[in-house]
Amino acid sequence: MEEKTTRCEEFTGLFVVRNCENNATIVCDKCKKNVCSTHAFKANQIVNPGKEHAVYKKNNSILCISCFVEFDARLTNDIELYSKDRSVWRRKMIHRFHAEYPYMVFLAEDYGSLFDRSSTVFLHDDSDEGSYFDS
Amino acid sequence: MDRQGNELNKEQYIGAPIERAHLHRGFNSKKTPVKWIRFFRACVVQREIAEEKKKKKIKKIWFIFLGIFIGTFITSPLTNISPVFKILPTTLGMLVFPGLIVAIIMTYRTNKKFKKNFAEGFDFFADYFSALFTLIEEDLQVESKIALEANLKHTITKENLIKNEAYTSETSGFIKGEEEHYERVISKGSCLFYDESLIFFQFTERTRKRIILKRGSSGKRKTKYKYRAAYPFTIKMKIPKNKYQLNPSVDTKEISFVEDDAYYVFKVSRKFDVKKENPEQYNPYNESSITAFAVDYFSLEVINLINTCYSCVTPSA
């Protein structure tokens, strides 16, 4: 009998926002959301947590990226991009982008199968019309 | 969670000259965002290691010279003890002048070798494009690569000169002037988004060099060089017609728009100009001003160009 799998409840994307397609393997200790390992973070890595958040750090809790970003007091300049923390940096920057710019976001699930995974990756030809920039 | 907080350490990049070589030729490749970020990081780390080594070597050279120089004076009183010791200050004294020449030559050669091996001005490029690629990483198709071509050479060179014209000024003492305009494409590239939109980008440095011959208050003639640089970042975005429909009103003042059979094609540009945006940071004597823009600011402004293109369409219902 097939085991029932739970999908990760986090999202990916900046413009076309999609539900994460990975299977959930962990439950966030704070919000109880099911998340995959890509979207799960160790609370003991949080730098300068506030008093109310220190308990998660002390208990070595596992948090979803949303809760981790909420607690993490690091400035974006202090985050190493060649690491898993790159997604924390991205999430912080997306929050800033949404706060500072009038933005366009399309939620993939609102459009049925329109944004289903496509397979055009091999058709991408970057040599296309470089002269467009000359005008 | 395994790699959380990991950093690329220096030990991983000692003795790997490939990134350095790429930097000098300029590079043209296709990689996934994370591989590009690793490449940029490796280039920066390699340069840092080499710069540390260079500084140590130069310090050592001058430390030896200083030892000879000070030794001459310290050993002088020894001649009072016995004439035999006279040989020490005499020998050291004779080495001071040749030692100075050798130290100057060795410092010059060490600096020259470093400049030959490592391109300058790459750190800003690494920071800006690491940030940009991180922001769009999740919007790319799975395993999709970003094509990127970069030219990290100096802008003010003969081959980049596009215009040369006379310059006049009413300021006192002005004799004659000339303006040279240079343009270099720092980088260009493309990628494919998850929704099959194609993004082409181009980042350019445009520099105006003003050469002014004037007479100073003492009556002496002098030549001044002043610079002004601007950095247009242009995005061309091809949005597939089978997924999106065009909004009824597209502001063609800000956005250039054409369409073909399969795509809506938008072109938007953002000129980074420190004199206009942050005048207190503008220094007319610096050739380049790109580092005046913070990484966060740069990447969000570029992302906003893509956002502007998306604002012209709506997904097909």
Side-chain angles (χ1 to χ4, degrees):
Chain A
M1 214 167 89
E2 246 179 58
E3 208 175 297
K4 196 188 169 194
T5 53
T6 315
R7 275 287 165 91
C8 173
E9 292 172 55
E10 274 294 343
F11 63 89
T12 59
L14 172 58
F15 295 109
V16 180
V17 178
R18 309 174 305 278
N19 295 321
C20 176
E21 293 177 356
N22 297 333
N23 290 332
T25 51
I26 295 154
V27 176
C28 171
D29 285 331
K30 183 174 176 269
C31 68
K32 308 298 173 202
K33 201 156 61 183
N34 295 300
V35 287
C36 65
S37 61
T38 310
H39 287 115
F41 287 80
K42 292 174 188 165
N44 63 11
Q45 300 276 336
I46 296 172
V47 181
N48 302 328
K51 268 185 188 171
E52 67 273 32
H53 307 138
V55 63
Y56 294 104
K57 184 169 181 169
K58 200 178 158 192
N59 295 342
N60 284 334
S61 302
I62 302 293
L63 301 174
C64 67
I65 187 169
S66 305
C67 294
F68 187 87
V69 168
E70 189 190 318
F71 293 172
D72 184 26
R74 278 179 299 177
L75 297 173
T76 46
N77 285 348
D78 298 330
I79 297 175
E80 166 62 47
L81 291 185
Y82 187 69
S83 76
K84 192 190 171 186
D85 285 355
R86 189 166 69 258
S87 44
V88 175
W89 182 91
R90 185 189 306 116
R91 192 61 71 90
K92 283 177 184 246
M93 290 293 281
I94 289 174
H95 288 169
R96 252 185 78 179
F97 184 65
H98 289 174
E100 294 172 19
Y101 296 83
Y103 62 94
M104 294 306 301
V105 166
F106 308 121
L107 296 173
E109 64 180 25
D110 292 347
Y111 297 94
S113 60
L114 188 66
F115 293 112
D116 278 357
R117 190 192 288 245
S118 52
S119 56
T120 53
V121 63
F122 300 111
L123 301 176
H124 170 207
D125 177 12
D126 59 281
S127 61
D128 183 30
E129 309 166 52
S131 59
Y132 188 88
F133 287 108
D134 300 339
S135 59
Chain B
M1 285 166 292
D2 297 342
R3 296 192 54 248
Q4 191 176 332
N6 269 6
E7 283 185 21
L8 200 66
N9 59 46
K10 287 184 178 183
E11 287 69 31
Q12 286 174 268
Y13 287 96
I14 291 174
I18 187 73
E19 283 81 12
R20 179 176 92 194
H22 276 306
L23 277 190
H24 273 287
R25 285 196 294 267
F27 50 84
N28 182 2
S29 183
K30 281 182 185 180
K31 297 181 199 287
T32 58
V34 68
K35 282 191 177 163
W36 273 122
I37 293 163
R38 185 188 160 93
F39 170 78
F40 297 148
R41 191 82 190 88
C43 292
V44 170
V45 170
Q46 278 190 358
R47 191 180 195 280
E48 275 172 10
I49 295 166
E51 196 166 24
E52 247 173 58
K53 268 190 185 170
K54 181 196 85 169
K55 280 180 183 167
K56 268 187 192 167
K57 192 178 172 184
I58 291 174
K59 224 178 182 180
K60 206 172 159 186
I61 293 167
W62 287 99
F63 191 75
I64 293 168
F65 170 72
L66 207 69
I68 295 169
F69 186 69
I70 294 170
T72 314
F73 295 101
I74 291 175
T75 52
S76 291
L78 294 177
T79 51
N80 298 332
I81 300 166
S82 164
V84 179
F85 289 121
K86 203 181 172 184
I87 194 165
L88 270 172
T90 312
T91 314
L92 290 171
M94 280 168 67
L95 285 174
V96 169
F97 186 68
L100 178 67
I101 303 290
V102 170
I104 290 170
I105 291 170
M106 282 181 79
T107 305
Y108 171 77
R109 286 179 71 175
T110 309
N111 280 327
K112 199 179 166 190
K113 194 179 167 192
F114 177 79
K115 272 192 177 175
K116 195 182 159 197
N117 284 340
F118 294 93
E120 266 179 52
F122 179 72
D123 289 14
F124 89 86
F125 185 91
D127 290 343
Y128 286 8
F129 281 86
S130 294
L132 184 60
F133 291 173
T134 298
L135 274 173
I136 62 170
E137 190 178 0
E138 285 184 350
D139 285 81
L140 299 179
Q141 294 212 354
V142 183
E143 293 301 312
S144 174
K145 291 175 180 175
I146 298 173
L148 179 69
E149 187 182 335
N151 171 7
L152 298 162
K153 288 171 186 154
H154 284 288
T155 301
I156 300 183
T157 56
K158 267 183 192 173
E159 59 264 32
N160 294 329
L161 182 68
I162 51 167
K163 201 167 66 175
N164 206 343
E165 57 192 11
Y167 166 76
T168 53
S169 171
E170 298 295 314
T171 52
S172 67
F174 177 84
I175 300 168
K176 68 171 184 172
E178 191 186 348
E179 277 184 350
E180 293 171 351
H181 297 262
Y182 298 87
E183 186 172 302
R184 168 179 63 114
V185 175
I186 299 172
S187 68
K188 58 183 177 182
S190 62
C191 57
L192 178 69
F193 269 17
Y194 185 89
D195 61 357
E196 296 174 42
S197 294
L198 280 156
I199 313 277
F200 299 85
F201 57 87
Q202 182 167 295
F203 186 36
T204 310
E205 180 171 57
R206 285 186 191 146
T207 309
R208 183 192 70 197
K209 181 181 179 183
R210 190 173 278 169
I211 306 155
I212 306 159
L213 181 66
K214 61 188 284 189
R215 202 179 298 279
S217 50
S218 62
K220 207 175 170 186
R221 282 177 165 217
K222 55 183 176 183
T223 308
K224 275 196 163 187
Y225 300 93
K226 285 186 174 182
Y227 303 91
R228 174 143 186 217
Y231 300 85
F233 197 111
T234 306
I235 292 266
K236 182 178 92 169
M237 191 164 174
K238 295 176 83 172
I239 299 180
K241 283 181 167 176
N242 64 351
K243 285 199 162 42
Y244 293 90
Q245 56 194 31
L246 191 67
N247 288 343
S249 57
V250 174
D251 183 5
T252 47
K253 279 181 198 161
E254 301 283 329
I255 308 162
S256 143
F257 167 68
V258 288
E259 60 185 303
D260 59 27
D261 291 344
Y263 293 98
Y264 301 114
V265 186
F266 302 96
K267 190 172 107 173
V268 278
S269 201
R270 165 76 166 84
K271 190 154 68 170
F272 292 89
D273 184 340
V274 74
K275 196 181 178 188
K276 273 188 186 163
E277 293 171 57
N278 213 347
E280 65 273 16
Q281 282 206 39
Y282 170 65
N283 180 350
Y285 301 106
N286 279 354
E287 278 182 39
S288 169
S289 56
I290 188 62
T291 49
F293 297 97
V295 174
D296 292 8
Y297 176 75
F298 173 84
S299 53
L300 289 181
E301 284 293 301
V302 172
I303 284 298
N304 193 41
L305 294 177
I306 300 173
N307 185 44
T308 305
C309 297
Y310 270 127
S311 71
C312 301
V313 295
T314 310
S316 306

